[in-house]
Structure formats: C-alpha cells, structure tokens
Amino acid sequence: MCIRDSYGIAAGLKNGEIIIEGDVGDYLGMLNTGAKIIVNGNAGNYVGDGAWGGEIIIKGNAGYGVGMYAYGGTIVVEGNAGDAVGQILKGATVLIKGDAGDSIGVYMVNGEIIIVGNAGERLGDWMIRGTIYLGGECKSYGNNTKVEEMTEEDVKKLKALFEKYGINADPSKFKKIIPASLRPFYGKK
C-alpha cells in the first residue's frame, strides 16, 4: 500500500505501535508523545515535527526537516535525509544512517543529531546548545560551531545507539560538533 499523498499520519499519538507498509507523505508522527511508528518505505517532509517522545523509524529515505522542533523521543532514518534535519531541535535524538543535506541543526537548542554518512553545507549553523555527531564529512560547518574531542561517554552513547539500531560504524571515529559559544548573538565569547 502506498499512502505517500496522505499527510499527518499518526500525528499526536500518546502510545501504541503502528507499522506502515509503503511510502508516506509529510508530517508523519508530528507531535508524537509516546507511540512507536515504523515505516517500511520512504517518508516525506517534517517527520516527527514537534515530537515530545516515542520512537519513529523510517526504513527508507526521508525528506526535508526531519525532527524539526522535536522536544523528545528518537527519530531514525535508515536511508538518507534531506535538508534541515533537526532545525531548532529542542531535545530529541535524530539518527540518520545515510547522508543528510544542508543546514543541519540550525538554531538547535538541545538534543543530539547523529549522521553516520556525510552532510552538506552549514552543518550546525548558529547552534545554541546540543551536539551533532558526524561519521563522514561535511561540505562546510556553520557559524558558531567547533569540533571537539569525543569523550568516552560520547563513544559509549553512540555505541549503545548503534547496537540498538543495527549500525555498523566505529563511534570513536565520529566528529563531535558543538556550539563555539553559548552566547553567539551578543558578540561576546
């Protein structure tokens, strides 16, 4: 079944498990607060927009804005993701097994973005808080970012996520991107 033209599927769920066979449209699992949603296909734009909890797993690719404004929960894309992953992320964990586009983590204020593959331009542009872990390369880092050494805690955290979601990657080889300054808008460092 292909329901790619259906928008807002499983929006606002508090619990339960939903398995969808085929592709879905935009706003899958938006405002999710506790359900587990699995898509055996691709997803459109804004997967998990504004989610508060739960788990969303896309077995294919996803479009623009995965995890945008998400406060909590975990969003996993097993393929590639478009631009704007985790923009204004509030606290969720967003895991992309493939590559991600441009402007990842723009203005993120908390949470974690993990990209196993490569990322595009302006990675972490104007990050306020939170962490981006990158397994591959990016075309460019954004304003107010710096690469920091991975800690033992970082490696353990990624290893646990990789085991849970079947990712064959060495977490110790990832780059850790954090804000260069916690007050980027005031001109002080």
Side-chain angles (χ1 to χ4, degrees):
M1 175 166 92
C2 184
I3 48 179
R4 72 175 150 253
D5 294 331
S6 297
Y7 303 113
I9 293 173
L13 293 179
K14 294 181 181 177
N15 55 47
E17 182 174 309
I18 294 177
I19 299 172
I20 300 167
E21 298 293 338
D23 298 342
V24 296
D26 299 344
Y27 295 103
L28 171 81
M30 68 180 289
L31 303 174
N32 186 24
T33 59
K36 181 174 185 175
I37 303 164
I38 300 171
V39 175
N40 291 314
N42 299 310
N45 302 320
Y46 308 108
V47 170
D49 182 20
W52 286 87
E55 185 177 37
I56 301 171
I57 301 170
I58 308 300
K59 300 283 186 170
N61 299 316
Y64 181 93
V66 173
M68 193 175 275
Y69 301 106
Y71 287 85
T74 303
I75 302 167
V76 178
V77 177
E78 293 190 359
N80 299 321
D83 297 338
V85 170
Q87 279 195 3
I88 314 174
L89 189 70
K90 308 287 189 180
T93 298
V94 180
L95 173 56
I96 310 299
K97 287 186 179 183
D99 298 330
D102 296 334
S103 301
I104 307 304
V106 172
Y107 292 117
M108 67 185 288
V109 296
N110 205 356
E112 297 169 330
I113 299 170
I114 302 117
I115 302 166
V116 178
N118 298 312
E121 297 178 351
R122 297 176 308 281
L123 180 69
D125 204 18
W126 295 114
M127 291 176 71
I128 297 167
R129 287 185 180 78
T131 307
I132 299 173
Y133 298 99
L134 179 64
E137 299 298 323
C138 69
K139 291 182 181 175
S140 66
Y141 293 106
N143 294 291
N144 196 49
T145 60
K146 69 178 180 179
V147 178
E148 186 176 79
E149 289 288 320
M150 291 282 286
T151 66
E152 188 176 315
E153 183 180 314
D154 293 321
V155 172
K156 283 182 185 178
K157 183 186 334 179
L158 291 184
K159 184 178 179 183
L161 279 169
F162 292 177
E163 286 175 2
K164 180 175 182 178
Y165 294 107
I167 296 172
N168 185 17
D170 182 353
S172 68
K173 305 280 190 215
F174 276 61
K175 296 173 198 74
K176 178 180 180 180
I177 297 98
I178 62 169
S181 167
L182 294 179
R183 300 188 324 171
F185 304 109
Y186 301 112
K188 298 178 184 176
K189 294 192 180 202

